[in-house]
Protein backbone atom coordinates (compact mmCIF):
# COMPACT_ATOMS: atom_id res chain seq x y z
CA UNK A 1 0.00 0.00 0.00
CA UNK A 2 1.46 3.33 -1.06
CA UNK A 3 1.22 6.27 1.32
CA UNK A 4 1.73 9.83 0.06
CA UNK A 5 3.70 12.39 2.08
CA UNK A 6 1.37 15.37 1.81
CA UNK A 7 3.43 17.94 -0.08
CA UNK A 8 1.13 19.75 -2.48
CA UNK A 9 -1.91 17.62 -1.69
CA UNK A 10 -4.20 20.66 -1.48
CA UNK A 11 -3.34 21.91 -4.97
CA UNK A 12 -5.96 21.38 -7.62
CA UNK A 13 -4.89 19.58 -10.76
CA UNK A 14 -5.93 20.27 -14.33
CA UNK A 15 -8.74 18.11 -15.65
CA UNK A 16 -7.43 14.79 -16.91
CA UNK A 17 -4.20 14.92 -14.87
CA UNK A 18 -3.75 12.30 -12.18
CA UNK A 19 -1.45 12.54 -9.17
CA UNK A 20 1.26 9.87 -9.12
CA UNK A 21 1.24 7.51 -6.16
CA UNK A 22 5.01 7.83 -5.70
CA UNK A 23 6.49 10.69 -3.69
CA UNK A 24 7.24 13.81 -5.70
CA UNK A 25 8.99 16.89 -4.36
CA UNK A 26 7.11 20.17 -4.00
CA UNK A 27 6.84 21.96 -7.35
CA UNK A 28 8.15 25.30 -6.10
CA UNK A 29 11.79 26.35 -5.83
CA UNK A 30 12.53 29.41 -3.70
CA UNK A 31 15.91 31.03 -4.46
CA UNK A 32 15.68 33.24 -1.37
CA UNK A 33 15.52 30.19 0.86
CA UNK A 34 18.60 28.79 -0.85
CA UNK A 35 20.54 32.02 -0.28
CA UNK A 36 19.45 32.14 3.36
CA UNK A 37 20.50 28.53 3.93
CA UNK A 38 23.89 29.21 2.33
CA UNK A 39 24.47 32.55 4.07
CA UNK A 40 23.65 31.49 7.63
CA UNK A 41 26.74 29.29 8.23
CA UNK A 42 28.98 31.77 6.43
CA UNK A 43 27.66 34.64 8.57
CA UNK A 44 28.05 32.61 11.76
CA UNK A 45 31.66 31.83 10.82
CA UNK A 46 32.42 35.50 10.13
CA UNK A 47 30.88 36.55 13.45
CA UNK A 48 32.90 33.90 15.29
CA UNK A 49 36.14 35.05 13.65
CA UNK A 50 35.35 38.67 14.46
CA UNK A 51 34.66 37.81 18.09
CA UNK A 52 37.87 35.78 18.41
CA UNK A 53 39.90 38.56 16.79
CA UNK A 54 38.61 41.23 19.18
Amino acid sequence: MTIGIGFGREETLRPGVSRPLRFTAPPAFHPGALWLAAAAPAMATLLLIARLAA
Side-chain angles (χ1 to χ4, degrees):
M1 177 200 241
T2 305
I3 298 174
I5 298 195
F7 283 127
R9 291 288 179 198
E10 285 72 51
E11 295 179 12
T12 57
L13 298 175
R14 296 184 307 247
V17 176
S18 64
R19 184 173 306 279
L21 293 177
R22 295 176 52 186
F23 171 74
T24 55
F29 173 74
H30 197 284
L34 180 63
W35 276 104
L36 181 63
M43 191 63 170
T45 303
L46 290 174
L47 289 172
L48 179 63
I49 291 171
R51 179 160 177 116
L52 292 175

